[in-house]
Amino acid sequence: MFASSLETLAAFLGVLTPLVAAPLTVIVFYLRSLREHQVSWHEEFIRRVDVVEASTGSLRETLREFERDYTTKEEWLRECMHARHILEQLRDATVRIEASAYAQPRTGDETRRGVAAPSGSSPVGPFRCIRPMDGNEGVD
C-alpha cells in the first residue's frame, strides 16, 4: 500500500510539476523584467535630475552675474545719494581751502601782476578772477 501511494504521489508530482513550473517561470521572468525596467527608469531619472541640477547651478551663476551688472532702483538711488554726499564733502573742503586762501594777507605785488582781489559774488570761486597779463602790466 505504501508503494502504491508512492507511485501515485510520483505520478501526481509528475503531472503537477509542469503545471506549476511553467506559470512560475513566467511569473519570475515577468518580475525580473519589471525590476530591470524600474532600474533603467531610476537611472534615467537620476540622469535627468543631474542635468536639472547642473542647469540650476548655471542659472544661479548667470543670475549672480546679472545682479552684479544691473542694480535695482533702490541700489541706484543709494549709490547716487552716496555720490552726492561725497561731492558735498569735496565742495565743503574746497570752500575751506578757498576761505583759508582768502584769509592770508595779500601783498601789493599780486595786484600789480594782474591778479584781482577775490570777490564774494563769484559763483565759481577765486580762480575765475585771474586776468591774463598783456605784457604791459606790472611795469612802472
Side-chain angles (χ1 to χ4, degrees), residues 4 6 10-11 18 20-21 23 31 37 44 48 68-69 75 81 94 99 105-106 109 117 121 123 132-134:
S4 107
L6 195 57
V20 171
L31 290 176
H37 178 70
E44 177 68 19
R48 287 182 181 183
R68 216 174 309 146
D69 292 342
E75 290 173 349
M81 294 303 289
T94 305
R106 303 243 180 235
D109 291 340
S121 63
M133 292 177 40
D134 63 358

Side-chain angles (χ1 to χ4, degrees), residues 6 12 17 23 29 43 46 69 85 95 110 115 124 129 135 137:
L6 195 57
F12 181 70
T17 302
F29 282 123
E43 290 172 354
I46 295 288
D69 292 342
H85 179 70
V95 168
E110 292 174 345
V115 178
V124 177
C129 300
E137 294 180 350

